[in-house]
Amino acid sequence: MTELVTIHRLADAEQDLSRAAEILRDGGLVVFPTETVYGLGGDARRDASAKKIYAAKGRPSDNPLIIHVATPEDAEPYAFTCDLYYKLARAFLPGPLTIILPKKDTIPLSTTGGLDTVAVRCPSHPVAHRLLEKCGFPVAAPSANRSGSPSPTCAAHALADLDGKVDLIIDGGDCEIGLESTIVKIDGDSLTLLRPGAITPDALSLVCPTVKIADAVLGQLKEGEKVLSPGMKYKHYAPSSPLVLLDGAPDAVLRFLQSEQATKECAILCYDEEIPLLKQKHLFPVGVKEDLAAHGKTLFHALREADATGVEVIYAHLPPKEGLGLALYNRMIRAAAHTVRTIDN
Ligand code: TXA
Ligand code: MG
């Protein structure tokens, strides 16, 4: 049985969070909110918890888990830290950045999918932070979705995917960012960006001048190509209706959408300003065009809803690759299996 608790005010949540920490300490699974997406937590020190997480998610066990700790220093017993780790921590933690470091033996290989590195994250969400403080041990947590569905940005998504498979779901409202954390790997004095997120390459380069972007962030991996982050090689969320990303002048794209609506059943992830110009059926607004943060916050929710309509095709705008756009681009291009249609006139 999965129990659901809702937290409105952190001050009233002490008992619930103590109990959640107890469940984790006893080897159970707890879904908790973070500023990025909901996490499916288990004790990162226990083999058995990692196995339970993989089973609940339906995830291959060579895809490593991120460990969550309350403060950057709390990673010390589990990872070999360095100056650059603390520089990044001072600039961005707690917050939506995950840092990959060489692991210590205190973290089992089942948690890291057999790798000798470990991904460390300190979430800024007050509920996640307080829960981690109460635990005092690292909590391994992938996104709280079934493998192959979009990351959950509210408790209802996690419940839909994991009901009966976890002990407790903590509802802390909608996630502020809505896209998973930025992941970087430290290589000496330089950083490699493995997954783009709300901490952008420009922001990272203020702390570390050399930020390489892993090929898999933008491109399609070639058959048999070695990946730096195992998660990149798995098929990602793909809606059951094909998702097509539209590129081109805004007027031309709008005319295309209007004509498509006239001839077929389609769902559209549209900009707010397009709402009055389109038929009011299967429209999923993602915020005004310029507001990339709003798109990030609504993307996974909109994709889940658009997918549930069962239409022939889902259309969305191709996001820019700059700034926060890079994270959107990375998620959307995978969901669309790289299908981009350029509208010329
Ligand atoms: O925002 C987030 O990061 C959320 C919240 C819950 O913290 N977590 C999350 O976890 O997105 P997950 O498991 O869905 O995605 C983590 C990604 C995976 O693609 C995994 O392959 C990669 O991080 N990863 C984990 N440990 C790694 C390591 N040691 N080396 C390379 N990649 C790693
Ligand atoms: Mg995930």
Side-chain angles (χ1 to χ4, degrees), residues 48-299:
S49 295
K51 290 194 178 108
K52 271 194 184 174
I53 291 175
Y54 290 120
K57 259 187 89 73
R59 175 176 185 157
S61 60
D62 66 341
N63 190 357
L65 307 172
I66 295 176
I67 69 163
H68 296 66
V69 286
T71 70
E73 293 75 22
D74 291 340
E76 282 299 338
Y78 310 103
F80 292 96
T81 62
C82 58
D83 283 353
L84 185 48
Y85 169 77
Y86 282 106
K87 270 195 194 163
L88 289 166
R90 274 194 297 279
F92 303 115
L93 301 186
L97 178 67
T98 297
I99 302 171
I100 295 178
L101 297 165
K103 81 167 198 71
K104 292 185 177 168
D105 289 342
T106 43
I107 294 293
L109 287 168
S110 47
T111 295
T112 64
L115 297 179
D116 55 8
T117 52
V118 62
V120 175
R121 163 151 154 69
C122 302
S124 61
H125 193 293
V127 170
H129 182 79
R130 189 72 188 118
L131 174 64
L132 293 166
E133 269 183 348
K134 285 187 178 280
C135 286
F137 55 84
V139 175
S143 48
N145 53 297
R146 287 284 293 173
S147 204
S149 69
S151 291
T153 55
C154 62
H157 296 164
L159 185 66
D161 281 15
L162 299 172
D163 194 11
K165 298 190 162 65
V166 297
D167 299 291
L168 175 69
I169 295 180
I170 303 173
D171 183 348
D174 291 346
C175 299
E176 200 47 48
I177 295 173
L179 298 171
E180 308 88 340
S181 62
T182 301
I183 303 182
V184 293
K185 187 165 194 289
I186 296 185
D187 294 307
D189 293 337
S190 69
L191 288 180
T192 305
L193 179 71
L194 301 186
R195 181 174 73 184
I199 306 293
T200 62
D202 280 352
L204 291 166
S205 64
L206 295 176
V207 175
C208 173
T210 324
V211 182
K212 295 178 234 162
I213 298 191
D215 290 346
V217 167
L218 287 174
Q220 219 164 349
L221 282 178
K222 294 175 204 78
E223 195 66 39
E225 195 172 326
K226 190 170 177 299
V227 286
L228 290 172
S229 180
M232 288 177 181
K233 76 178 182 225
Y234 293 107
K235 188 165 165 287
H236 267 252
Y237 162 68
S240 33
S241 316
L243 170 67
V244 175
L245 303 181
L246 301 175
D247 195 15
D251 286 0
V253 171
L254 180 62
R255 277 196 303 276
F256 172 81
L257 289 172
Q258 288 164 334
S259 74
E260 287 293 286
Q261 277 194 319
T263 57
K264 59 171 72 103
E265 284 279 295
C266 54
I268 302 173
L269 272 58
C270 67
Y271 297 137
D272 287 1
E273 54 271 39
E274 293 172 321
I275 299 172
L277 307 169
L278 290 164
K279 251 206 283 191
Q280 306 301 300
K281 194 174 179 201
H282 303 325
L283 279 192
F284 302 98
V286 294
V288 297
K289 183 177 182 196
E290 301 305 323
D291 190 351
L292 294 179
H295 301 189
K297 188 170 174 171
T298 47
L299 176 69

